[in-house]
């Protein structure tokens, strides 16, 4: 690891984002392994939220998928960039700011990642996202209600 990676590792521990990621991984019954560059993988995450192939908290990358999911170097770079975002934002303030980014992106494009500044700075393509164009708000609202109407009704 480089000196900067050590600084991030210590910083994300002190700002509580890595301990929070560890706690969430334990709650989600994930299996922890060491990853490269000071990252930790928490695979087999069983909680249904958030709905994502992977998500990062501090230096912990959580995923419902197997460890081999992170054999993709582009995806690993994407998630590592998120770990740097936690460091730069002094930890857990990243979470509500990320949610604001999701809401803004969804309102602009109907997609939670396309205009989310955190996903864009982590490189949309590396994260497996497709950039959607900005669309009129009416179209976004229509899409949202269309999805809600098409959901199966419970018993």
């Amino acid at each position: 690891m480089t000196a900067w990676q050590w600084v991030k590792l210590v910083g994300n521990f002190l700002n509580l984002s890595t301990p929070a990621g560890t706690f969430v991984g334990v709650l989600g019954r994930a299996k922890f392994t060491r990853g490269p560059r000071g990252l930790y993988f928490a695979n087999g995450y069983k909680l249904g939220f958030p709905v994502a192939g992977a998500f990062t908290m501090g230096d912990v990358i959580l995923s419902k998928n197997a460890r081999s999911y992170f054999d993709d170097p582009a995806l690993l770079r994407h998630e590592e960039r998120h770990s740097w975002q936690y460091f730069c934002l002094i930890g857990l303030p990243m979470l509500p700011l990320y949610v604001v980014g999701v809401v803004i992106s969804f309102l602009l494009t109907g997609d939670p990642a396309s205009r989310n500044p955190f996903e864009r700075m982590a490189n949309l393509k590396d994260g497996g996202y497709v950039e959607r164009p900005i669309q009129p708000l009416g179209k976004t609202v229509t899409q949202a209600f269309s999805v809600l109407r098409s959901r199966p009704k419970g018993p």
Side-chain angles (χ1 to χ4, degrees):
M1 279 196 333
T2 68
W4 280 111
Q5 289 164 337
W6 277 106
V7 168
K8 178 182 63 76
L9 184 72
V10 171
N12 279 346
F13 182 81
L14 294 175
N15 70 28
L16 302 180
S17 58
T18 295
T22 303
F23 179 72
V24 169
V26 168
L27 281 179
R29 300 183 311 279
K31 181 181 182 221
F32 289 84
T33 56
R34 291 283 311 245
R37 301 183 297 279
L39 298 171
Y40 297 89
F41 297 121
N43 295 97
Y45 176 79
K46 302 207 182 343
L47 299 180
F49 185 82
V51 180
F55 67 101
T56 301
M57 291 184 74
D59 288 315
V60 179
I61 305 172
L62 301 109
S63 178
K64 61 186 172 192
N65 299 298
R67 167 67 180 82
S68 60
Y69 184 70
F70 295 108
D71 290 346
D72 177 1
L75 178 61
L76 189 56
R77 278 192 310 271
H78 176 86
E79 297 302 335
E80 183 180 14
R81 289 180 190 120
H82 285 314
S83 74
W84 280 101
Q85 292 168 355
Y86 277 94
F87 176 76
C88 292
L89 291 171
I90 311 170
L92 298 176
M94 163 86 172
L95 294 173
L97 292 171
Y98 184 88
V99 170
V100 169
V102 165
V103 169
I104 290 169
S105 179
F106 185 80
L107 290 173
L108 290 173
T109 67
D111 175 70
S114 289
R115 293 294 169 189
N116 182 330
F118 297 102
E119 293 299 345
R120 294 177 72 80
M121 286 188 284
N123 190 310
L124 289 172
K125 186 177 177 187
D126 284 354
Y129 296 107
V130 174
E131 184 172 0
R132 309 269 184 232
I134 293 177
Q135 64 186 18
L137 183 59
K139 183 174 181 183
T140 301
V141 171
T142 302
Q143 286 173 335
F145 282 109
S146 173
V147 168
L148 291 175
R149 281 195 305 266
S150 67
R151 295 174 93 178
K153 304 285 187 274

